[in-house]
Each structure stands twice: as C-alpha cells, then as structure tokens.
Amino acid sequence: MSCTNDALDTPLGRIDAYLSGLNLDPGRQRELREYVAAAEPATHADAIERLYDGLAGDHGERGEAALAARIEAAYPHLAERRHAVGGGGYRGASMPRLNRWSMSPANMDRRPWRFMARVMPSIERRRRLPKAVPSRLRNIVRLRQAFLFFLVALPAAGATFYMLTTLPHQGKSGLEAVILALGALLFAWILVGFWTAMAGFFVLWRGDKYRISADPAPPPAEKEYVRTAIVMPIYEEEVARTFAGLSAIYESLQATGRLDEFDFFVLSDSIKPDTIAAEERAWVDACRRLGAFDRLFYRRRRARVKRKSGNLADFCRRWGGHYRYMIVLDADSLMVGPTLTAMVDRMQANPSAGLIQTPPTAVNRSSFLARVQQFATRVYGRMFAAGLHYWHLDNAHYWGHNAIIRIAPFMAHCALPRLPGRGALSGEILSHDFVEAALMRRAGWGVYIAYDLPGSYEEVPPTLIDELGRDRRWCQGNIQHLRLLFSDNLAPAHRALFANGVMAYTSAAIWFVFLVLSSSEAVMEALKTPDYFPSPGALFPSWPVWQPIWAVSLFCATMVVLFLPKILGMAMIIARGRQKDFGGVGNLIGSTLIEIVLTSLLAPVRMLSHTLFVFTTLIGKQVKWNSQQRADARVPWLAAIRFHLPGMLLAAAWGAVLYIYTPGFFPWLLPILVPLFIAPVITVITSRVDIGIWMRNNGLQLIPEEDNPPAELRRVIEIEAETAEADFADIVVDPGLSALHIGLQGGPRRLEPGLASYRDELARRALNDGPDGLSVREQRDLLADPERLDWLHRSLWSAETLPDWVAARLGRQPVVTPVAASAV
C-alpha cells in the first residue's frame, strides 16, 4: 500500500489507499470506487462508511460482512478454505478440522528413596506398574552396554590408580581421597565420549547390520498411503527465517512428488505484538506464495502451558487423530524432501519403531565460533551419532527436533507429568525430549538414531554468551532428570542416558572442584612443615612423594583420549577422498587444529559457567526459557567484560596464590587460568563475522554445504530476503492484515464491565497517541479484542486528519512477495 500524503487528504484518495491495501483486482476496485463516488461523500468518515456498505453488499450485517469481504479481497484462498471447512470462521480455516484424542500424563514414580521398594515390589504392585516390553535387540543391547561398562570402568580404574601414585601421600589423606574420587568420575566421563566416538568410527568404516533402514522386510504389494504432520513449535523467533525455512522444506517436499502425504503446522506461543503481526503476515504470504492454505496451518495458543512439550501435546490432542506420524522441527531446522520421505519409509518398514532421530548438521552461520561448531558437527558429529546408535540401538536419544514420531504411542504413553514440590527441580519437565524417549521405549517402541540419513540441518548460537544462555536453560532441565532416574521400569539404557544428561553439566562442577582441591593440596603441602613420622614409634620416615614424569604421562594419555576421535574423524575424510569438500588436505588439517585449540581455550570458560549454572539450579533459582538469539551478532567489549569479570578476578586471585606459594604447581594450571583471564577477548573475537568470512574465503572451517550448498539452503536465503515485515501498527492500519488478525481471533466475546471499560480506554489511547502510547502488554491486550481492534481500524481511516505515523506508514513502499507458478 503506497500513496502520497496529499491524496490521503481527499475522501476518494483515502478510498484509493484503502482499496490498494486489500489487493483487489482492478475491476472490483474501480467498481467500489465508483460506488463510493456516486454518494459524493463530504467527509472521510462518510467515504469509509459508504465503502463498508459496498463491501458488505447484500451479505448480512455490515460490520461482519465487510470484515469477510476484506479477507476475501486480500486472501481469497483463505476465504475459499473457510467455506470448504464450514464452521469455525477464519480461525477454523487456518487449521484442519478437530479430531480430539485424550493424552494423560504418564505414571512415573519419582521418589529415589523408594528405590528398594521398586527393586522388590509386591505382587499387587507389579500388576499396576507399566511394563517395559522387551525388544528383539534387547540381548544385543545388554551385551554391548556391558562391554562399554568394562571399556570405561577398567581404564578409569587404571588411570585413578596411576593418579594415586602421583599424589604426595598416595591417597592416605581425606583430601586426596576426595580428589581421587572426583578424578575417577572425570576419567569415566571422558572415556564414555571416547568409546562412543571409537564405536562410531568402526560403524562408519565397517557398517552395522542393526541400523534402522527402510527395507528390513519385503515391501507390500501396494504402497500404503499414510499421513504425516510436520510440526514446528515456535516462541518469539525470527519470523522471516522461520517461515523461509518452512517454505524451503515445503518446496523440497513438493519436488519429491509426495507432498500430498504431509501437512505443515506452525504452532506459535509468541506473545509480543510485533512478533504476532509478523507471524500472521508471513504465514498468509507463505500460503499465498505456495498455494498452501489447505496444507500449511498456523495456530497461536492463548496460554503458553508447558512450553514446547505442552504445545506438541496440545497439537496431538486436537489433530493427532488425523496422522500416523509427526516430524518435529525447531524454528532453525531445515530438512530436505528426500530425507523427510525416507524417515516415513523407515517408520513404515519398521512397525516396532516409535521414534527415529536424525543427526542434524549445523549450517548458515558466519561468526568465528559458529563456523568452528559447524565444522565440528560435520567432521565429528556423525561419528558420535553412529557411536550412540552402536551402543544403544533401539534405546537411543531424542534431541527434541529433526525427528519423526509415531503419534498413537506418543499420545498413549509420553505425556509428561508435573514434578511435585518446590524449587528448580520441580514443576514442568523442561528437557522433555530425553523423558519422552524413555517413556516411548518403556512402552515397547524402539527409539533409533538414523545416523546415515543426510539432509538434516540446524543452526547454532552465534556467540559464546548466547551459547551459555542456552546452556543455562538446558542445565536446569537436565538436572531435573535426577528425580526421574529411578522411575519405574525404565530401560537401563535410558537410566544411563538420564545420568549422562546430568553429567553433561555436573561434570563441569566436578572438574572445577577437582582443580580447586588439587590447588589446595599443593598450597597446603607448600605451607605446612612435613611430618616424616606420622605414626608414633615409627622406625622409618614417611617421605612425601611427587612424580612429575608420571603426572606428565597421565596428562598426555588424557589428551589422547580427548583428541584422538577428532583426528580419526579427519583421517576418515581423507581416506575416503572427500577432503576437497573441506578445502583440501591442508585446510582440513588446519581447520581441525583451529577447532582443537579454540575448544581447549573455551573449555575452562564453559567449565566455570556450567559450575555456576549447576550451583544456582541446586539452590532453587529458576531460569526463564526465552527465545534464542540465532542471527549473527558481534558482542561488544563492555558486555563481554561485564559477563566474564567474576571469572577474570577468580583466575587472577587463583593464579597469584599458586605463583606465590607453590610456583612448581603454577604452570600446570596455566591452561585453565589464562583462558579464564582472557575470556572477554575470546568472546569478542569468536563473535566476529568478518573473521568467519575470511576463513571461509580461504578454505578454513569449510564444510561441504558451503562449497556446494544444497538448493534448500540457498532457497532459505532467497525467501527470507523476500519476506514482508509487519508489526503491531500494521495490524491496526493495514486493511487486509487487520481483517486477517480479527478473523483469526474468532467472534466477539462478552466481557465483564471492568474489562470492557479497560479495553475501550486502550482503543481510545491508541487512536489518540498511536502505538507508542501503549505498553507492550497493553498492545497485547488490545490485539486479543477483535471488536475494539475493528473499531480502532475504522476510526483511524475515518479521521479527518490522519495521524503522522499513519500517513507515514501508508506512504511507504511495500515488500512485494512473488507468487510461485504452482500457486497460480
């Protein structure tokens, strides 16, 4: 909608501006203009009233009919769907017909102190416990996991014994006993990752006959037609990127010829008025561009209950009965059409499979940190995913997105209970994905990782501060799993995965305490006078022993465990002749070294932050689960210094104490203390996009998706650039978008007198003062009231003098979204 401000000063000029906002065909626009001109309106209000009469025609009450006419003019395909669906108005037209199913929370005993009662339950109790159904792979899983246990336990015990010999008193003091215990946990933790990577290397090199595939049984004589829902729960995301990604997925799936098997759902929990406006415009524009009003659905919940897991459960209750499967995406997910159809085919070929997870590859970011993470997921990520499959088979992980789920058992068994009590470990289950996978397996359905499926992508946080903000949320969710670790009849593998999720963050606290206690031991040994005869009457002295060569050997062995998987991942690429996809052999080796160095520098910073997260979670501090920062953004120096200042002060004090009292131990802690002290420098440098672009241009941190990007990745960028923007003011002013939003709210509602008076006041203030006269919460309240929003829209267009902000908005040039040939 674009016109000159002079034209807006005349009644017919105002009508022309209004009609251009409705996207009417020239004939209908000319007809309505002539209808208004025939009455020779003297005022703008008369002209708008006459236009509403013309829009309403003979179709009933003027206000409701004019609203319908505005929607039909701006979005005719949505109007056609409304007539096809029947009831529910335009809100019903934005969604399929309801097919309600029940979904009750699963029964989980969450009291670890009742463990013995679960080990030896009574006969009556056994009858009412949910039974874990054995799988055909149970014996293989048990054998492999027993083998993994010994592969972890024996080297960890050996390393602990080796560390025992390096301590001054060989573990005879209480402090050294604690140090040894913490060291044993850390050794075991890194060995789990090491053997997972080694198993993945073996699987990728030699293959695994137990992988989840699409052809374990002869195909049926006639292909069965099944329905799959692709669902994307969102909350305050970057709207243009979200709908661009979904549109690219739609087009890719359309190219496979199997689009008719799929429907798309955008399940919004957004609450900011500007985001709501942008989502509604992006949705309707995407539907119009793709010709997908009957296939791409949009729903915004009025109450954000249980966050993402509640949004998915609400979808299942309302529409799950229409579909056999659902593919869950995040706002930054991207999956190509052949991968989506392959996931459905694998579910069809494996009737016992309840969930198949694909390992997503990180793409599309340009900051230094993000590029390093993208390189790591591409070079090592699939190896770790293959290793997870090898050890767990049908007891695998679920990461909450880029996965396909069988809806019927999900609804029957995977609704999440609320954890009773108070504090951070109670309430809604935050890291829901691990729990849903455990419940699916408990019910007898397999949970697999399809490590061999390409074409699954995601995006990573662009800066270290954004990454740590995400980790703060994940930390609380994972530590909640302590309360679920001893739940009834979970598969042993999923108990191990719960413990693994807890260790993902508590290992940082264990490492921190281990370093503090080790430093304390060194300082105390330096300060106190040695007691060579600790036992009365001893004939021979007891000499403190320090073996620096053994300590160096243990350190080197630890480095091998940490970095050998990365070297093997790089070597596999070279051995298979794919080094050109990563910039050549030299660039691949250089990129791997850069990743190893940067990961080593970031490890102490992450350790300190994760330790703080664990501590604040255990003392009961709740965290807000807000939307993530996904776009590249450079961190200012002041923000980086403010964020890392406590760690810098700790590193300076820690280093000073060691240097003064035990200078021989000081160099051992420098790899920890130096990164903590220069953390702001690391954060700012790794957030820079220009460094990332320079590296890409010179073949460093290069991944195949950049050298030869899939069409879907290129298409996301194209569609995002074409996506029209919108905000709260557009809903108030724009004739088409205003009608759409009002229609999506449903019919008028009866309000209590006090609430009605409050809403009336909001509408008057918005008319007089513009959008800036209302707070964000007041704007949200007004958006929820279709009657007063319609009054505000008519009043603005009927005003004799348009407010400056309205005239400026009407005078701007719109962003035109081209219509795909398939939609014409």
Side-chain angles (χ1 to χ4, degrees):
M1 176 170 36
S2 178
C3 57
T4 64
N5 289 346
D6 291 339
L8 293 172
D9 292 335
T10 66
L12 290 181
R14 184 82 57 86
I15 294 301
D16 289 337
Y18 196 94
L19 291 174
S20 68
L22 289 177
N23 197 32
L24 287 166
D25 65 84
R28 178 60 173 159
Q29 185 169 342
R30 185 167 52 253
E31 177 186 335
L32 286 170
R33 189 183 191 281
E34 291 173 354
Y35 177 79
V36 174
E40 298 181 355
T43 64
H44 296 293
D46 292 339
I48 292 296
E49 291 297 310
R50 178 73 171 175
L51 175 61
Y52 269 54
D53 286 336
L55 286 170
D58 299 325
H59 301 295
E61 195 273 327
R62 187 189 65 185
E64 182 178 346
L67 174 67
R70 285 157 55 196
I71 295 178
E72 290 179 8
Y75 313 109
H77 292 89
L78 180 62
E80 291 174 7
R81 172 160 176 79
R82 179 204 177 194
H83 295 310
V85 171
Y90 290 101
R91 182 173 177 80
S94 67
M95 297 171 274
R97 292 180 182 274
L98 294 177
N99 188 352
R100 290 190 179 275
W101 285 15
S102 63
M103 189 172 177
S104 302
N107 179 25
M108 300 182 73
D109 194 327
R110 301 169 295 275
R111 295 166 290 181
W113 53 86
R114 298 279 312 271
F115 177 68
M116 290 307 298
R118 285 190 292 279
V119 172
M120 298 180 292
S122 65
I123 295 177
E124 185 275 334
R125 178 174 167 79
R126 284 182 181 275
R127 289 197 188 102
R128 56 189 175 87
L129 284 179
K131 299 298 182 185
V133 180
S135 74
R136 64 183 179 87
L137 301 175
R138 178 177 62 173
N139 292 333
I140 301 169
V141 171
R142 287 182 175 179
L143 181 62
R144 289 186 177 184
Q145 292 182 341
F147 184 45
L148 175 62
F149 173 80
F150 286 107
L151 286 177
V152 171
L154 295 180
T160 304
F161 179 78
Y162 203 72
M163 185 173 68
L164 173 68
T165 63
T166 67
L167 295 175
H169 303 287
Q170 287 76 56
K172 296 177 182 178
S173 68
L175 180 59
E176 289 187 353
V178 175
I179 291 173
L180 285 172
L182 296 178
L185 282 175
L186 292 174
F187 285 131
W189 170 246
I190 64 174
L191 282 166
V192 169
F194 174 78
W195 290 118
T196 298
M198 291 299 97
F201 178 81
F202 172 80
V203 166
L204 293 178
W205 191 260
R206 299 292 301 273
D208 184 0
K209 65 180 180 179
Y210 297 111
R211 70 183 179 91
I212 183 75
S213 65
D215 53 354
E222 185 175 340
K223 180 176 175 60
E224 184 181 2
Y225 183 79
V226 298
R227 301 283 293 151
T228 302
I230 298 176
V231 296
M232 180 182 281
I234 60 175
Y235 172 69
E236 296 299 335
E237 301 288 351
E238 296 175 18
V239 176
R241 166 60 184 86
T242 298
F243 281 88
L246 204 59
S247 297
I249 295 172
Y250 187 102
E251 293 175 354
S252 180
L253 195 55
Q254 189 174 39
T256 67
R258 295 177 58 178
L259 180 62
D260 290 344
E261 300 176 28
F262 297 85
D263 283 341
F264 293 74
F265 289 81
V266 178
L267 307 174
S268 174
D269 273 340
S270 299
I271 57 175
K272 294 180 181 178
D274 289 347
T275 308
I276 293 170
E279 286 178 359
E280 290 175 353
R281 170 159 284 174
W283 166 70
V284 77
D285 284 352
C287 288
R288 184 164 52 189
R289 180 178 62 250
L290 299 168
F293 279 101
D294 61 343
R295 195 173 302 280
L296 173 53
F297 304 113
Y298 170 80
R299 178 188 183 239
R300 186 174 62 85
R301 290 198 298 175
R302 294 191 174 101
R304 191 186 177 211
V305 179
K306 291 188 176 181
R307 301 179 177 87
K308 178 181 177 180
S309 64
N311 208 349
L312 288 174
D314 189 68
F315 160 79
C316 290
R317 292 188 185 98
R318 290 171 177 268
W319 301 292
H322 290 305
Y323 307 97
R324 181 174 298 181
Y325 311 117
M326 66 176 175
I327 296 174
V328 182
L329 304 178
D330 268 358
D332 60 352
S333 296
L334 182 67
M335 300 188 74
V336 302
T339 300
L340 295 169
T341 57
M343 293 167 71
V344 173
D345 291 341
R346 294 191 182 196
M347 291 292 275
Q348 285 291 93
N350 296 271
S352 64
L355 189 153
I356 299 176
Q357 172 72 63
T358 65
T361 297
V363 294
N364 277 355
R365 294 276 67 87
S366 297
S367 71
F368 183 10
L369 177 64
R371 290 190 53 74
V372 170
Q373 291 177 323
Q374 289 172 181
F375 176 82
T377 61
R378 195 63 174 84
V379 176
Y380 329 127
R382 198 164 299 276
M383 187 168 68
F384 278 92
L388 289 172
H389 165 80
Y390 180 85
W391 294 121
H392 299 297
L393 294 180
D394 60 351
N395 294 263
H397 288 67
Y398 168 43
W399 296 313
H401 59 93
N402 292 40
I404 186 169
I405 300 173
R406 196 178 297 267
I407 289 182
F410 183 82
M411 294 182 64
H413 306 287
C414 299
L416 301 182
R418 180 182 175 86
L419 299 179
R422 294 183 176 181
L425 302 186
S426 62
E428 313 298 348
I429 294 177
L430 303 179
S431 292
H432 58 92
D433 36 19
F434 278 29
V435 182
E436 289 162 347
L439 293 174
M440 182 72 81
R441 181 64 202 92
R442 183 175 76 170
W445 298 88
V447 179
Y448 297 88
I449 294 178
Y451 62 88
D452 58 327
L453 266 182
S456 177
Y457 304 103
E458 66 175 349
E459 295 171 1
V460 293
T463 70
L464 180 60
I465 293 178
D466 293 320
E467 176 196 302
L468 293 176
R470 180 197 63 183
D471 286 352
R472 174 66 183 92
R473 299 188 293 271
W474 286 1
C475 176
Q476 180 175 334
N478 281 21
I479 292 180
Q480 272 187 329
H481 294 166
L482 284 170
R483 299 191 59 178
L484 304 172
L485 192 58
F486 300 104
S487 297
D488 289 318
N489 279 351
L490 294 183
H494 280 286
R495 297 190 197 277
L497 290 177
F498 280 168
N500 187 74
V502 173
M503 279 294 293
Y505 293 96
T506 56
S507 60
I510 293 172
W511 185 21
F512 178 75
V513 174
F514 173 82
L515 293 173
V516 170
L517 294 182
S518 300
S519 301
S520 301
E521 168 90 350
V523 171
M524 287 190 296
E525 287 297 318
L527 291 178
K528 73 179 183 180
T529 302
D531 184 3
Y532 300 109
F533 296 92
S535 300
L539 298 177
F540 301 100
S542 175
W543 303 102
V545 178
W546 172 246
Q547 299 286 354
I549 299 300
W550 292 4
V552 171
S553 301
L554 186 60
F555 174 79
C556 292
T558 303
M559 293 300 101
V560 169
V561 170
L562 289 174
F563 298 128
L564 180 59
K566 300 185 177 187
I567 296 172
L568 288 178
M570 176 189 66
M572 184 182 294
I573 292 173
I574 297 174
R576 292 185 170 176
R578 299 187 55 200
Q579 60 272 17
K580 291 184 179 179
D581 295 336
F582 297 85
V585 173
N587 283 335
L588 176 60
I589 295 174
S591 297
T592 303
L593 292 176
I594 290 173
E595 192 275 336
I596 289 174
V597 171
L598 182 60
T599 301
S600 302
L601 290 173
L602 291 174
V605 182
R606 288 168 172 156
M607 173 199 70
L608 188 60
S609 296
H610 290 179
T611 301
L612 179 63
F613 299 160
V614 171
F615 174 75
T616 55
T617 297
L618 292 178
I619 64 175
K621 185 176 180 180
Q622 294 280 359
V623 62
K624 293 183 178 180
W625 281 53
N626 296 323
S627 59
Q628 298 182 32
Q629 169 68 31
R630 303 193 189 273
D632 291 318
R634 183 171 177 175
V635 176
W637 279 102
L638 185 60
I641 294 172
R642 187 186 301 116
F643 185 85
H644 292 293
L645 184 59
M648 296 171 64
L649 296 177
L650 174 65
W654 194 348
V657 170
L658 292 178
Y659 184 76
I660 293 172
Y661 293 104
T662 175
F665 189 71
F666 174 70
W668 288 87
L669 265 293
L670 281 179
I672 305 297
L673 300 177
V674 171
L676 288 176
F677 192 74
I678 65 170
V681 179
I682 298 173
T683 298
V684 172
I685 291 178
T686 56
S687 73
R688 289 180 56 175
V689 174
D690 56 341
I691 296 179
I693 294 175
W694 178 87
M695 295 172 69
R696 181 176 60 201
N697 293 338
N698 287 274
L700 292 172
Q701 304 298 315
L702 194 67
I703 60 176
E705 286 75 13
E706 292 175 317
D707 185 53
N708 184 25
E712 290 79 6
L713 293 181
R714 296 195 301 268
R715 189 70 181 124
V716 168
I717 298 173
E718 295 170 0
I719 298 174
E720 185 175 2
E722 298 168 355
T723 302
E725 299 177 353
D727 55 18
F728 169 76
D730 283 309
I731 288 183
V732 174
V733 176
D734 186 278
L737 187 60
S738 173
L740 173 68
H741 177 82
I742 293 170
L744 292 179
Q745 302 310 300
R749 303 164 197 163
R750 298 185 63 180
L751 304 178
E752 297 179 356
L755 182 57
S757 177
Y758 164 71
R759 298 273 181 85
D760 288 337
E761 175 62 21
L762 292 183
R764 285 192 293 269
R765 282 170 50 198
L767 178 64
N768 296 328
D769 304 332
D772 293 340
L774 302 180
S775 67
V776 171
R777 181 173 181 177
E778 289 171 337
Q779 290 179 3
R780 187 165 65 242
D781 291 340
L782 187 56
L783 285 183
D785 194 315
E787 186 175 356
R788 285 154 184 83
L789 198 62
D790 193 36
W791 173 86
L792 174 60
H793 175 77
R794 293 199 309 269
S795 298
L796 279 172
W797 280 93
S798 301
E800 289 305 307
T801 302
L802 285 176
D804 291 339
W805 66 271
V806 176
R809 189 164 293 265
L810 295 178
R812 73 183 185 189
Q813 292 293 334
V815 178
V816 180
T817 304
V819 179
S822 60
V824 176

